[in-house]
Amino acid sequence: MSVNSQSAKMSAVQTGTIYSILLAVSSVHLLNDSMQSVIPALYPVLKDSLMLSLAQIGWISFTVNMTSSVLQPVVGLYSDKRPTPWMLIAGMVCSMAGMVGIAYSPSFLLLLLSVVFVGLGSAVFHPEGSRVVHFAAGGKKGLAQSIYQVGGNFGQSLAPLMTMYIFLPLGQHGAVWGTLLAAAAIAILLRVVPWYGSKLRSEALPVKSKSHAAGRQPAAYSNRTILFGLTMLLFLVFARSWYAAGISSFFQFFEMDKYGLSAKHAQVAIFLFMIAGVIGTFCGGVMSDRFGRKKMIIFSIAGAAPFALLLPHLPLGWVYPVIFVLGFILQSGFSVTVVYAQELMPGKVGMASGLVTGLAFGMGGLGSIAIGSAADAYGITDVMVVTSLLPILGLLAFLLPKERRLA
């Protein structure tokens, strides 16, 4: 009798949502993406100090995104077969080295090399971090992924503030303060990694047969459906990433050109876009648990299209409320796409996470090169107008397979 009650208690613990772990991993995600945010935050400074063109700035975005993204599915595939908790700390050490390099790079090529280290650190962290979230989520996958992604999105939203208050006053060398972010992340991970290791050991026990017997596994998709669903999902995230790259990396230059704003005041709209994305990420994940993943993905990309089309044509006073609403809607599907991919590929958490948050966003980095090069050739104003058409591709989300979730 006591054995049964103890077993039931252990089962409740295993299936419950462990918020302390979710908040810890979300905090590390915040610190990790804050380090990545140092890179776009430095763009106005690097443009002057290293005499960079907009195309070269696009190459910087491409380098960090591609380094992170191409390796994320590889790391995810490896960690699906052999999860390795210490890789979380190794990734942070790699990012720390990149921060030092960015602060003291005297040339464009050395800057790119330093950016590669930051990308490597991010590539290692994201699939393993997403696996920790999966274990700690219990039955609230959308909420858990939102808590995790909110940390990352909030870290990204700090870029305009860092530009205004750190890099414009301190210059390129101010990037060395990013090492403190890495040190804080390592300190938190020293508490998370032991829990993660113990969870992996418990998962190695013959619990899987119980879950199968209890009917907790979703019905399997056909290989054809999985391939089609992933292709459509990656295409949608790809389009969203191109548009987000246009806003986060180049909209500040659009504002300076069209409205005559200073580099400092041009950061306000970028910050509003990103902080709205943080709120949207959390709300979208919560709503997806109730209304479904596919509906939220459709809403997040297609629903943003009218605001995206309006944005380049507005007077300055209207830019701020519209870009806030745009950021909220666009990012409301951010965490949902990860959960959708994980449910599309049950048992391949790392691979699904790596594909969605990695490879597709790397293709968004390719968009940074395209947008930057086009802006140099045709002018930033015309290019931002063309970029505003990208969210219309969100209508393709109607073709996604209907999700199948655990009962």
Side-chain angles (χ1 to χ4, degrees):
M1 193 73 150
S2 60
V3 173
N4 289 337
S5 63
Q6 186 177 4
S7 176
K9 192 178 293 185
M10 289 179 63
S11 177
V13 171
Q14 288 174 349
T15 58
T17 304
I18 306 175
Y19 290 100
S20 60
I21 295 296
L22 291 177
L23 291 173
V25 178
S26 180
S27 298
V28 176
H29 199 185
L30 185 155
L31 295 165
N32 178 83
D33 284 24
S34 293
M35 284 185 281
Q36 280 194 268
S37 295
V38 167
I39 297 168
L42 275 168
Y43 286 164
V45 174
L46 294 172
K47 187 174 185 292
D48 294 332
S49 64
L50 297 180
M51 303 298 292
L52 302 181
S53 67
L54 291 179
Q56 286 176 310
I57 288 175
W59 273 105
I60 296 172
S61 293
F62 174 77
T63 300
V64 67
N65 283 357
M66 284 301 292
T67 305
S68 168
S69 64
V70 170
L71 288 180
Q72 273 196 50
V74 177
V75 174
L77 182 62
Y78 173 83
S79 65
D80 282 334
K81 297 179 179 179
R82 184 178 292 181
T84 311
W86 63 263
M87 287 174 62
L88 289 165
I89 295 176
M92 289 302 130
V93 173
C94 205
S95 293
M96 181 183 288
M99 286 294 100
V100 175
I102 290 171
Y104 298 105
S105 293
S107 67
F108 176 64
L109 289 179
L110 287 176
L111 180 66
L112 285 183
L113 179 61
S114 300
V115 162
V116 166
F117 277 91
V118 178
L120 286 172
S122 183
V124 171
F125 168 74
H126 280 98
E128 285 293 286
S130 191
R131 183 183 302 282
V132 174
V133 170
H134 183 75
F135 284 149
K140 299 179 179 179
K141 303 297 184 186
L143 173 62
Q145 193 64 225
S146 289
I147 292 173
Y148 174 60
Q149 298 294 352
V150 156
N153 283 9
F154 187 75
Q156 293 171 17
S157 72
L158 296 177
L161 298 181
M162 287 191 282
T163 300
M164 287 190 283
Y165 298 114
I166 299 177
F167 300 126
L168 288 178
L170 299 181
Q172 182 179 347
H173 295 336
V176 76
W177 289 99
T179 58
L180 297 180
L181 300 174
I186 291 171
I188 297 172
L189 286 173
L190 289 174
R191 302 295 301 272
V192 173
V193 166
W195 178 88
Y196 180 24
S198 65
K199 187 67 177 176
L200 289 173
R201 288 190 292 272
S202 67
E203 288 289 315
L205 297 175
V207 176
K208 187 178 290 187
S209 60
K210 295 181 182 179
S211 65
H212 279 288
R216 297 290 294 171
Q217 292 294 325
Y221 290 98
S222 67
N223 290 336
R224 182 177 179 180
T225 301
I226 292 173
L227 179 61
F228 177 78
L230 279 178
T231 301
M232 291 302 304
L233 192 67
L234 292 177
F235 184 77
L236 290 167
V237 177
F238 168 58
R240 183 176 63 197
S241 299
W242 270 56
Y243 182 72
I247 296 294
S248 61
S249 297
F250 299 104
F251 192 74
Q252 56 189 313
F253 300 110
F254 170 81
E255 291 179 285
M256 293 161 68
D257 182 69
K258 181 173 181 176
Y259 305 112
L261 298 181
S262 66
K264 181 176 182 178
H265 289 105
Q267 305 304 313
V268 175
I270 309 298
F271 177 72
L272 288 173
F273 175 78
M274 291 184 169
I275 202 67
V278 173
I279 301 170
T281 296
F282 179 78
C283 294
V286 174
M287 289 188 290
S288 75
D289 282 335
R290 181 173 182 179
F291 299 110
R293 322 293 187 213
K294 180 177 176 178
K295 290 179 181 177
M296 284 307 305
I297 294 172
I298 294 171
F299 170 74
S300 69
I301 308 180
F307 299 96
L309 292 170
L310 280 174
L311 187 63
H313 308 287
L314 296 172
L316 182 59
W318 278 99
V319 165
Y320 302 118
V322 169
I323 203 169
F324 185 89
V325 174
L326 172 61
F328 178 90
I329 296 175
L330 189 70
Q331 299 298 343
S332 65
F334 187 86
S335 61
V336 180
T337 54
V338 178
V339 179
Y340 181 92
Q342 290 174 349
E343 292 173 347
L344 196 63
M345 303 170 65
K348 297 180 180 179
V349 175
M351 183 65 171
S353 174
L355 280 171
V356 174
T357 62
L359 189 58
F361 283 105
M363 295 300 101
L366 182 61
S368 295
I369 296 179
I371 294 171
S373 299
D376 282 335
Y378 304 106
I380 188 65
T381 301
D382 290 340
V383 169
M384 289 307 301
V385 171
V386 174
T387 303
S388 68
L389 300 173
L390 286 169
I392 296 176
L393 296 173
L395 293 173
L396 293 173
F398 283 101
L399 301 177
L400 288 171
K402 184 178 180 180
E403 71 265 26
R404 298 173 183 173
R405 288 181 277 170
L406 293 173

